[in-house]
Amino acid sequence: MMTRTYNHGVAWEEGSGISQGYSVNGTIYISGQFSHDMQSEFVGAGDIEAQTRQTLENLDRALAGFGVTKSNLAYVEIYLTNVKEHFEPCIQLFKEYMGQHRPAGSLIGVTSLAFPEQLIEISAVAHID
């Protein structure tokens, strides 16, 4: 069994107890990504579009850590704290991000996420060709 992990290399990861990504036998599991930059600073408080863009950028970074891209995504889970208000802008940005690739997925409304200002989180499963 071949396993491998990936982390972005930002300070808060050390104390979290998880890896940003874990691959086993060609399947990659990406932990929930959210809106932080490479200095561990939160990006886009109160702005679903800024948070979605940064979260997708972090997803790209995690995928790249395994040498794959968004075209390798098999399943995507999006968590939103305010589905009624944020569904349309989030899905529009997600569709632009994905292009023609259409992985399976779910969008789940939640009352809160790990950080008070966090509006979105995205986790995923991908494959290595």
Side-chain angles (χ1 to χ4, degrees):
M1 178 167 65
M2 282 197 50
T3 64
R4 197 170 119 216
T5 61
Y6 169 79
N7 280 304
H8 295 308
V10 293
W12 64 263
E13 290 173 336
E14 291 302 316
S16 71
I18 61 168
S19 294
Q20 292 303 306
Y22 186 93
S23 76
V24 58
N25 295 333
T27 302
I28 304 166
Y29 302 89
I30 304 293
S31 294
Q33 301 297 300
F34 60 94
S35 185
H36 66 83
D37 63 18
M38 293 305 291
Q39 289 73 47
S40 298
E41 297 296 321
F42 193 83
V43 174
D47 183 341
I48 188 60
E49 291 183 17
Q51 286 193 33
T52 301
R53 283 189 189 92
Q54 183 66 52
T55 299
L56 292 170
E57 184 177 311
N58 291 341
L59 177 59
D60 273 344
R61 190 174 294 109
L63 292 167
F66 292 95
V68 301
T69 67
K70 60 191 169 193
S71 65
N72 294 80
L73 289 168
Y75 180 77
V76 177
E77 228 166 45
I78 301 172
Y79 302 90
L80 287 178
T81 58
N82 186 340
V83 175
K84 188 177 231 175
E85 185 178 332
H86 297 142
F87 177 84
E88 289 297 329
C90 173
I91 292 303
Q92 183 60 41
L93 289 168
F94 180 74
K95 285 170 34 179
E96 289 172 18
Y97 167 79
M98 289 308 308
Q100 295 302 309
H101 183 60
R102 294 287 184 262
S106 296
L107 189 142
I108 301 162
V110 296
T111 55
S112 64
L113 290 161
F115 300 96
E117 62 274 21
Q118 188 179 351
L119 304 173
I120 184 171
E121 187 165 316
I122 300 176
S123 61
V125 177
H127 59 89
I128 297 172
D129 290 329

